[in-house]
Amino acid sequence: MKYLRMPIEIESPEEYGYDKIANNLSESSVTDQSLESLGLQIPNLTLLYNEHRGSPRLRELIVRNSGLSADDVLITSGAAGALFIIATSQLSTKDHLVVIRPNYATNLETPKAIGCEITYIDLDFNSGFALDLTVIEKAIKSNTAMISVTCPHNPTGVTMSRDTLNSLVAMAKAQGCLLLVDETYRDIHYTEQLPLAASLGDHVLSVASLSKSYGVPGIRCGWVITKNPRLQEVFLAAKEQISISGSVVDEWIAEQVLEKGDAILEPRIQEMRSRLDMVASWIEKEDLLEWVRPAGGVVCFPRMKKEPVGGTAAFYERLLRDHATYVGPGHWFEMPDTYFRLGYGWPTREQLKAGMEAISKALRG
């Protein structure tokens, strides 16, 4: 594999320096939590090799009320670790991948590094970034190994309907390929929540983590879910060769977070609804921007109606230099820089408001 650093990582706020940014609207998660904010105190844990599949209780919590079992879950180092394991075990230079774009960079870059054949299905702003099942079906070839989608979508925040998900599941089954659904934002939803995709077939893979909706990316805890025991064995073998097992400390914290899941998520969803309304009110008045309103997650993907004063590069430079405000430019997602990802879940309300005001000023020079 030939690795190249991704722009989203090279230009990440942690690489640039959090201290240089007053209004960080580039983040794709809710506000980072602390042990104190979660009411946790780490006990005197024995720092042994953990169960290779992950803590049994943690795996039970992940699939509770889904019809799936703990045996269907493999704990990984974040969702990124799960995506890496899936791509490197299921794709080769002889295989073909159908992947939705724009997308989280790992869903694009790891398959590129593997060297498989890739067909990108580009979502269209003018159709509300909706999946076109006809286009996806036409893209499938005899060597298609996997269809890769995200829901809620990163970076747009749009979701698919239950009918669309069911159709994708049936399509992949008929074509004899895997369906990968990146569900990292599934727990923050503003409409009806979809079922865990992996519960709909043994050819479907669900990937998620505690990083985005729960605000604990520092524990690096994610997972892949599949009802297919053969695939689980392959994924476990990959994990064992990468890291053997997960962190005892990380998985203990993850258990405590998920035990409190409803108590954490219910007020958070209400807060995110309110923040989304703040963004909607701003964009409604901002005649230089347009968007597709998200139905889940904590990010959106506005588009400039025309080139800003001096061009897009000058806009991003002004925004950071003059206003200490940071957003995720379109090229992080292989899109034009007239688009940008705006995260409304991570900053404080005051920073979100100040950041949106800064964007309006920077657009005008």
Side-chain angles (χ1 to χ4, degrees):
M1 291 175 61
K2 297 185 182 298
Y3 292 106
L4 293 173
R5 291 194 73 200
M6 299 179 288
I8 193 172
E9 304 300 349
I10 296 170
E11 301 169 17
S12 65
E14 59 266 28
E15 288 288 291
Y16 179 73
Y18 287 114
D19 59 322
K20 301 175 185 176
I21 305 170
N23 308 307
N24 185 1
L25 276 57
S26 72
E27 299 288 353
S28 57
S29 65
V30 301
T31 306
D32 298 328
Q33 301 300 295
S34 66
L35 291 172
E36 183 177 1
S37 72
L38 293 167
L40 300 180
Q41 185 172 359
I42 297 175
N44 185 25
L45 299 169
T46 301
L47 304 179
L48 74 171
Y49 283 112
N50 205 5
E51 183 169 329
H52 294 189
R53 289 173 174 79
S55 151
R57 178 57 180 159
L58 175 57
R59 290 184 284 127
E60 288 173 2
L61 288 166
I62 287 167
V63 293
R64 61 183 168 185
N65 304 320
S66 70
L68 296 163
S69 76
D71 290 340
D72 300 323
V73 183
L74 177 71
I75 304 301
T76 61
S77 179
L83 294 171
F84 183 84
I85 285 171
I86 292 166
T88 54
S89 67
Q90 301 304 307
L91 298 174
S92 71
T93 54
K94 297 178 181 179
D95 293 313
H96 173 243
L97 168 71
V98 178
V99 62
I100 301 305
R101 187 173 60 179
N103 210 318
Y104 175 60
T106 301
N107 282 319
L108 304 173
E109 296 299 331
T110 305
K112 275 189 198 173
I114 291 167
C116 68
E117 181 186 1
I118 304 174
T119 297
Y120 299 104
I121 305 297
D122 290 320
L123 301 180
D124 185 2
F125 179 95
N126 296 316
S127 61
F129 294 121
L131 287 176
D132 189 326
L133 295 174
T134 302
V135 174
I136 294 174
E137 187 168 26
K138 286 181 179 177
I140 296 172
K141 302 182 179 183
S142 60
N143 64 331
T144 300
M146 188 159 62
I147 302 168
S148 175
V149 301
T150 69
C151 184
H153 184 255
N154 181 9
T156 68
V158 300
T159 63
M160 69 178 86
S161 68
R162 176 66 188 270
D163 286 346
T164 298
L165 176 58
N166 288 342
S167 295
L168 277 173
V169 170
M171 183 189 302
K173 185 74 170 178
Q175 299 295 333
C177 63
L178 297 174
L179 173 62
L180 168 61
V181 185
D182 184 337
E183 300 174 329
T184 303
Y185 292 99
R186 177 176 174 270
D187 285 327
I188 293 187
H189 51 91
Y190 312 124
T191 57
E192 181 183 3
Q193 187 179 38
L194 293 174
L196 283 170
S199 69
L200 304 179
D202 64 4
H203 64 296
V204 185
L205 312 175
S206 289
V207 168
S209 76
L210 292 178
S211 299
K212 308 301 185 182
S213 299
Y214 290 89
V216 285
I219 66 170
R220 308 310 305 136
C221 187
W223 52 85
V224 53
I225 308 172
T226 175
K227 294 196 293 184
N228 187 316
R230 180 189 63 80
L231 286 175
Q232 274 291 0
E233 192 71 11
V234 171
F235 297 156
L236 175 60
K239 177 185 177 180
E240 288 173 330
Q241 292 174 43
I242 294 169
S243 62
I244 302 177
S245 66
S247 160
V248 172
V249 177
D250 287 0
E251 292 187 17
W252 180 86
I253 294 172
E255 283 181 34
Q256 311 315 305
V257 170
L258 287 181
E259 290 278 11
K260 302 177 179 180
D262 291 342
I264 291 172
L265 288 173
E266 288 176 8
R268 182 160 294 158
I269 290 172
Q270 293 307 312
E271 172 65 14
M272 293 306 109
R273 285 182 188 274
S274 178
R275 288 172 177 232
L276 183 56
D277 286 341
M278 289 174 62
V279 180
S281 177
W282 167 62
I283 289 186
E284 185 178 349
K285 298 171 185 174
E286 177 49 80
D287 58 9
L288 298 182
L289 294 175
E290 53 191 344
W291 75 333
V292 175
R293 184 180 176 118
V298 295
V299 295
C300 58
F301 205 47
R303 181 173 73 172
M304 304 173 197
K305 293 182 179 179
K306 62 180 181 180
E307 284 272 321
V309 174
T312 55
F315 159 74
Y316 288 111
E317 182 180 354
R318 281 195 302 272
L319 186 62
L320 185 56
R321 181 195 64 216
D322 299 340
H323 304 284
T325 296
Y326 210 50
V327 295
H331 68 259
W332 283 8
F333 311 97
E334 299 189 348
M335 291 287 284
D337 278 343
T338 47
Y339 292 88
F340 59 89
R341 186 178 70 185
L342 186 153
Y344 52 87
W346 192 89
T348 64
R349 280 178 169 243
E350 292 73 21
Q351 290 166 342
L352 175 59
K353 183 174 183 294
M356 292 187 294
E357 291 172 352
I359 293 169
S360 290
K361 291 177 182 176
L363 284 170
R364 291 166 172 79

